[in-house]
Amino acid sequence: MSVPAAIANSLWAMSSLPALRRFEVGLSHPLETQERLLFETLSRNADTAFGRKHVFPDIRTYDDFTRQVPLATYEDLQPWIERIMTGESGVLASEPVTHLVPTSGSSGARKLIPFTAGLQRQFDAAIGPWIADLFRSYPRLMTGEAYWSVSPATTFPETERSAVPIGFDDDSAYLGGFRRKLVESIIAVPSSVRFERDIEAFRYQTLLHLVRRRDLRLISVWHPSFFTMLLDALVTNWESLRTIHPRLAHTDPHEPHSIWPKLGLISAWGHGSAAGTLEKLGSLFPNALIQPKGILATEGCVTIPFLNAHPLAVCSHFYEFLDCENRVRLAHELQLGGEYEIILTTAAGLYRYRLGDRVRVSDFVHNTPSLTFLGRAGNVSDYRGEKISEAFAAGVLREIAIRTGVSPVFAMLAPEEVSCGLRYVLFWEGPFDSKLAEFLDELLCKNPHYDYCRRLGQLQPPIIVQVTDGYEKFVARLLTHGLRLGDIKPVPLSNRTGWTRHFIALDTGRVANR
């Protein structure tokens, strides 16, 4: 046991108890909790440029709010954010903007999200209950160090000038003051590693720190492939690492649980296309609990793991939900099995912001909905009128996995231009048989727009391209578009073409059923 880690984790757990108690009350009273959050946010930001334009002081009810503040996308808020970049204060939020945090959907341009102390408090209102619940459920996690993912620093274009710092460093940055200092005292890999810009060198430096930590208890990463790629680098660099760290002499890089025998929990994204990779991690660490993360975006926190579910982070932000008929619902109005698009209002000045994520209500924790991520609402591929959405593509991949009994490590559907027209390609990392392409065509044709295009000959039959290291190669392409590693999210659908050429250029990936 690491005594310093046990002390720091105990202090973190105790400091999170008030947030836990508020969250437990909020789960039983979502309407009252959400109304209080909304009007606190509007009151604090009434004297901002945005608040004056939308007359926040006159908003007395939720209906007033919806009449005076329209639903917004990032493009709607971008002119306000550009004013923040020039150094203007009090634009969207009354508190100073400490950072502009870059993020992006996997097919869109980069966005810069304002970060304030108020937003940090709202994140802590979600992270606190998660940590408190985690440590009370698994107290042995408190007795060792943790690895909170660190992403390499990003170089921003010279033309992108901002009076406000752009960028964040690592997971612990979402915590403020006292709690961040506690986390930094137990973190297995220091944030300074992020300044290593070469990806292979970054992984090697990360491993140099991690293999020293035999008492490692917790690993928190975004996508599980972030860690599986580290494990691949562990094998590649084994001889060098073993020379530096003699304790590795009796361990096996192909059995990483022998290196970190006390690892108790791995927290990672586990929805959609990440499920197969998370399952692979579970097989590599049979004694560790695998906990899928909640829905956490740069813009805000939506759900947290809690009581074996993923309830709405009801004490963090004000949430609205757009149903399939474009009607706006509040948290207490959601129905079991219903599918919705998330709308956020946050302390940092995102008002009625369409996050772009679609969710399904899978359960309720007390009176608050527990949500499952479905996909991105705005990610649609429509080259011939086929209108393939990300949520539909995710459903196709789920059905293929059920029919074949295979959970792929990586799977992504994308359009591809070929000499005879256009077809869809499923990039697949995992075993498959000859029936997979037939399943794919059959399932895609359940979309009437796609089926019509297929019958007209506007789309050719789909094919399967088997790939290796799929997620790593997916990331490699998006990094060339200026995205930050930690911001790249796996998707079941890409509306970009050219993926076959990209995957084969990096590897000799086998093409099946052409």
Side-chain angles (χ1 to χ4, degrees):
M1 181 180 77
S2 168
V3 174
I7 293 172
N9 281 323
S10 297
L11 289 172
W12 190 10
M14 287 188 291
S15 70
S16 299
L17 289 177
L20 173 63
R21 286 191 288 269
R22 287 191 294 270
F23 184 65
E24 289 175 329
V25 171
L27 290 174
S28 296
H29 304 283
L31 174 58
E32 296 86 345
T33 303
Q34 284 284 282
E35 282 186 336
R36 185 177 66 253
L37 266 169
L38 172 61
F39 291 108
E40 285 177 355
T41 299
L42 296 178
S43 175
R44 286 197 182 102
N45 297 321
D47 196 30
T48 61
F50 189 93
R52 290 191 295 271
K53 178 176 180 180
H54 295 85
V55 201
F56 280 8
D58 288 354
I59 297 176
R60 297 285 185 267
T61 66
Y62 170 68
D63 288 340
D64 291 341
F65 179 57
T66 61
R67 280 192 295 269
Q68 292 181 213
V69 182
L71 296 179
T73 63
Y74 180 78
E75 287 68 32
D76 296 320
L77 294 176
Q78 190 170 2
W80 301 89
I81 293 170
E82 288 173 352
R83 290 168 63 176
I84 294 171
M85 293 176 70
T86 67
E88 184 178 345
S89 61
V91 178
L92 291 170
S94 58
E95 293 181 307
V97 175
T98 60
H99 292 78
L100 290 167
V101 188
T103 186
S104 175
S106 294
S107 60
R110 191 175 65 163
K111 300 176 288 187
L112 294 173
I113 305 302
F115 195 87
T116 66
L119 183 60
Q120 193 166 65
R121 290 191 296 271
Q122 290 186 333
F123 271 106
D124 193 55
I127 296 171
W130 169 56
I131 286 295
D133 180 60
L134 194 64
F135 284 160
R136 74 179 176 182
S137 301
Y138 308 100
R140 68 189 181 98
L141 296 178
M142 291 194 289
T143 61
E145 295 176 323
Y147 172 51
W148 297 83
S149 63
V150 178
S151 294
T154 303
T155 301
F156 301 105
E158 288 288 334
T159 56
E160 189 169 48
R161 301 189 182 280
S162 174
V164 178
I166 295 177
F168 241 9
D169 39 17
D170 53 70
D171 280 6
S172 69
Y174 285 99
L175 302 169
F178 169 69
R179 291 180 183 85
R180 184 173 187 183
K181 291 184 183 301
L182 287 176
V183 171
E184 289 175 343
S185 71
I186 58 170
I187 202 164
V189 179
S191 295
S192 58
V193 170
R194 74 188 183 96
F195 295 109
E196 177 53 73
R197 298 189 182 279
D198 178 80
I199 292 296
E200 292 305 319
F202 163 78
R203 290 176 182 149
Y204 183 75
Q205 291 296 325
T206 299
L207 288 168
L208 275 177
H209 290 282
L210 282 178
V211 295
R212 295 185 184 128
R213 313 297 183 181
R214 185 173 177 81
D215 282 342
L216 192 70
R217 294 297 201 279
L218 184 150
I219 290 173
S220 173
V221 295
W222 292 112
H223 190 273
S225 287
F226 182 90
F227 193 60
T228 58
M229 285 187 280
L230 277 178
L231 296 179
D232 291 340
L234 178 69
V235 175
T236 304
N237 293 284
W238 184 246
E239 290 305 318
S240 173
L241 291 168
R242 190 171 60 175
T243 301
I244 297 171
H245 299 294
R247 83 164 189 86
L248 299 177
H250 302 293
T251 58
D252 184 346
H254 298 285
E255 296 183 1
H257 60 88
S258 67
I259 301 170
W260 301 288
K262 298 180 181 179
L263 184 65
L265 182 133
I266 298 174
S267 170
W269 183 248
H271 301 283
S273 58
T277 310
L278 193 59
E279 183 178 316
K280 177 183 176 181
L281 270 183
S283 67
L284 293 172
F285 295 95
N287 298 322
L289 173 72
I290 304 297
Q291 186 185 71
K293 282 188 183 293
I295 302 171
L296 184 65
T298 301
E299 295 90 338
C301 182
V302 180
T303 67
I304 63 170
F306 192 81
L307 298 179
N308 297 315
H310 287 85
L312 186 69
V314 70
C315 295
S316 292
H317 320 295
F318 180 70
Y319 306 93
E320 298 168 273
F321 299 87
L322 200 63
D323 69 14
C324 296
E325 297 179 0
N326 285 324
R327 296 175 298 188
V328 178
R329 303 295 189 187
L330 296 179
H332 69 284
E333 298 175 319
L334 303 192
Q335 300 293 314
L336 184 65
E339 297 183 5
Y340 306 91
E341 180 187 341
I342 300 164
I343 302 166
L344 287 179
T345 294
T346 75
L350 301 185
Y351 303 100
R352 307 199 76 201
Y353 176 83
R354 296 181 68 164
L355 185 61
D357 288 347
R358 288 193 60 79
V359 295
R360 179 187 294 118
V361 179
S362 54
D363 201 352
F364 284 84
V365 179
H366 303 311
N367 296 319
T368 297
S370 176
L371 306 176
T372 299
F373 178 78
L374 294 178
R376 296 285 296 169
N379 184 12
V380 176
S381 183
D382 190 21
Y383 283 79
R384 300 290 189 270
E386 65 273 20
K387 301 184 190 306
I388 300 291
S389 70
E390 183 170 313
F392 175 75
V396 167
L397 298 185
R398 281 197 301 272
E399 184 64 25
I400 287 175
I402 291 170
R403 290 196 189 191
T404 62
V406 173
S407 295
V409 174
F410 175 84
M412 183 182 73
L413 188 70
E416 194 73 25
E417 294 181 5
V418 291
S419 57
C420 52
L422 189 93
R423 70 183 357 149
Y424 275 80
V425 179
L426 175 58
F427 298 96
W428 181 272
E429 184 175 353
F432 69 93
D433 57 35
S434 59
K435 293 183 178 180
L436 185 57
E438 296 174 18
F439 288 157
L440 177 61
D441 201 24
E442 174 190 337
L443 293 169
L444 288 174
C445 283
K446 289 185 177 182
N447 177 327
H449 302 289
Y450 177 91
D451 182 56
Y452 186 65
C453 290
R454 281 280 288 114
R455 286 188 284 111
L456 289 179
Q458 291 175 305
L459 293 173
Q460 300 301 311
I463 64 169
I464 314 297
V465 172
Q466 192 173 29
V467 299
T468 58
D469 300 325
Y471 180 71
E472 184 167 4
K473 296 179 175 66
F474 167 76
V475 167
R477 183 178 184 186
L478 296 186
L479 285 175
T480 65
H481 292 272
L483 300 186
R484 178 177 174 268
L485 181 60
D487 294 325
I488 297 175
K489 306 176 181 71
V491 290
L493 173 74
S494 171
N495 57 24
R496 297 178 187 267
T497 60
W499 283 105
T500 300
R501 183 173 61 253
H502 171 76
F503 280 115
I504 291 178
L506 294 180
D507 188 56
T508 56
R510 179 163 63 91
V511 179
N513 303 304
R514 183 175 287 280

